[in-house]
Amino acid sequence: MNTQAEIQTPVFDIVKQVFSVLLVVAGVAAFYYFAEVSVLYRVIGLLVVALVVLGLMFTTNLGRNTWNFFLESKQEVRKVVWPTREETSRTTLLVFAMVFTVGLILWLLDMVLFWGVQHLTGQGG
């Protein structure tokens, strides 16, 4: 007896997914094949194909799982404790101060090393 849980994708779901990919490819090909037709109508046709593909994908296990993932993600975002405006301002100023300080230190180090190389090679005056 196999104790590992295996997720099996029904054959009909795979057929739907392959058909969805073929629909997208056909929609893009039709977009370019009918180049003489107004761009507005071609874009509307492409949007209709995209909606049909999305509807078809939502009938598969993968589509339902993806939709549930987005719904759960939305619930998790609501649970996040966001920083206050004051905390964000303080943190931003601290980051700017640290970037300025590190930049100043690196500039001073560069100047000292440049002076040292000039002094060692006899190019300094």
Side-chain angles (χ1 to χ4, degrees):
M1 187 167 161
N2 191 356
T3 58
Q4 293 179 348
E6 294 183 17
I7 300 173
Q8 295 182 355
T9 305
V11 176
F12 195 57
D13 278 1
I14 295 173
V15 170
K16 288 179 190 178
Q17 292 169 0
V18 169
F19 186 66
S20 296
V21 170
L22 291 176
L23 269 177
V24 168
V25 170
V28 171
F31 181 84
Y32 289 108
Y33 181 76
F34 295 108
E36 69 278 353
V37 178
S38 172
V39 175
L40 176 66
Y41 295 132
R42 291 188 293 154
V43 168
I44 290 173
L46 210 53
L47 289 174
V48 168
V49 168
L51 289 174
V52 169
V53 167
L54 283 175
L56 188 60
M57 286 301 290
F58 281 136
T59 63
T60 65
N61 286 337
L62 177 65
R64 284 189 293 273
N65 289 341
T66 303
W67 183 250
N68 287 336
F69 172 77
F70 283 120
L71 291 178
E72 291 171 8
S73 297
K74 188 176 175 183
Q75 290 174 352
E76 289 298 322
V77 167
R78 288 184 187 147
K79 295 178 185 178
V80 173
V81 178
W82 298 101
T84 64
R85 184 179 198 90
E86 184 180 334
E87 291 172 332
T88 305
S89 299
R90 262 194 261 149
T91 304
T92 303
L93 289 175
L94 182 63
V95 167
F96 283 147
M98 290 303 297
V99 167
F100 178 78
T101 304
V102 169
L104 184 63
I105 291 170
L106 290 175
W107 177 71
L108 290 172
L109 179 65
D110 182 56
M111 294 300 290
V112 168
L113 291 174
F114 184 70
W115 175 80
V117 168
Q118 277 186 336
H119 184 68
L120 289 173
T121 58
Q123 296 175 5

